[in-house]
Amino acid sequence: MSYGIDIKIQNVVATMNIGMRLDLAKISNQTRNAEYNPRRFAAVIMRIREPKTTALIFASGKVVVTGAKGEDQAKKAAIRFKGILDKLGFKSEGKLEFKVQNIVGSCDCKFPIRLEGLALAHGKFASYEPELFPGLIYRLVHPKIVLLIFVSGKIVLTGAKYKTDIVEALEKIYPVLVEFKKNESTKS
């Protein structure tokens, strides 16, 4: 991808709306891949194997699909969960209102980074407290992405609505990371 760095999508979280109230007890009792414990959590947790995803199904008709490795997989999973609900008698006539809420990606710069220097130089966007968390938290303004940057050069990018946002965020942060590349002679 950008700068020859391969970005791997780790998770896509999407929502959809069935458009009607759902009987969660009926859903959990009539499907084997679902669990429902209203004292612990107010939604049915349903899993499918292909694509390997989990849905949180709420009585309001709202559904959160998580675990997909791409936007297309999330859409495919949403359609499968919708099909399961249709078979149980919860057929909705309207559109699903499918929307990607968050994409999480990761990559490796393949060089160590001086996090202390980066935090000092970019204090407005960066927060680094190694006693609390080993990574530096960098909040990009545009695209609005949060990056977790580790000394090893590994990065987690989150908060994207589109994969292009993750690519753009990496293209913006990479020159900054090169500037704070740890030299072999630098000990800290």
Side-chain angles (χ1 to χ4, degrees):
M1 287 255 146
S2 47
Y3 295 101
I5 296 172
D6 186 34
I7 301 168
K8 186 169 193 262
I9 301 301
Q10 300 292 345
N11 187 21
V12 175
V13 178
T15 55
M16 66 176 176
N17 192 347
I18 301 301
M20 65 172 58
R21 302 260 335 143
L22 301 174
D23 180 347
L24 300 184
K26 179 182 176 183
I27 293 168
S28 70
N29 290 335
Q30 292 187 359
T31 55
R32 8 160 235 205
N33 53 346
E35 58 185 83
Y36 179 49
N37 184 345
R39 284 177 301 210
R40 267 188 55 217
F41 190 58
V44 168
I45 301 165
M46 187 182 292
R47 293 179 174 84
I48 56 173
R49 284 200 189 104
E50 192 50 46
K52 188 173 182 239
T53 51
T54 300
L56 305 176
I57 303 168
F58 295 88
S60 64
K62 294 208 178 354
V63 179
V64 178
V65 178
T66 184
K69 298 292 184 192
E71 295 166 70
D72 52 332
Q73 260 194 24
K75 181 94 175 180
K76 187 177 170 187
I79 292 166
R80 291 230 20 228
F81 286 117
K82 167 81 173 78
I84 292 166
L85 293 171
D86 282 351
K87 284 181 184 165
L88 293 172
F90 301 104
K91 289 187 196 305
S92 66
E93 302 302 316
K95 281 190 128 181
L96 281 182
E97 296 174 35
F98 177 84
K99 187 177 180 203
V100 171
Q101 299 293 341
N102 185 22
I103 300 175
V104 179
S106 65
C107 62
D108 187 354
C109 289
K110 296 187 171 52
F111 57 80
I113 300 162
R114 292 182 294 114
L115 297 182
E116 298 84 2
L118 177 56
L120 288 169
H122 292 254
K124 187 177 175 187
F125 308 105
S127 111
Y128 181 52
E129 298 182 52
E131 310 82 35
L132 301 176
F133 182 69
L136 178 141
I137 301 164
Y138 198 103
R139 296 178 193 280
L140 272 179
V141 177
H142 186 77
K144 194 170 182 246
I145 303 288
V146 175
L147 299 96
L148 306 177
I149 305 167
F150 298 90
V151 176
S152 64
K154 292 198 171 27
I155 303 172
V156 175
L157 304 98
T158 186
K161 301 272 189 211
Y162 307 97
K163 188 175 186 222
T164 53
D165 291 345
I166 287 183
V167 173
E168 188 184 337
L170 184 61
E171 285 171 354
K172 282 189 173 180
I173 200 73
Y174 189 81
V176 175
L177 299 178
V178 170
E179 189 185 332
F180 291 95
K181 183 178 179 177
K182 237 186 211 184
N183 298 326
E184 296 308 311
S185 59
T186 312
K187 292 290 179 218
S188 63

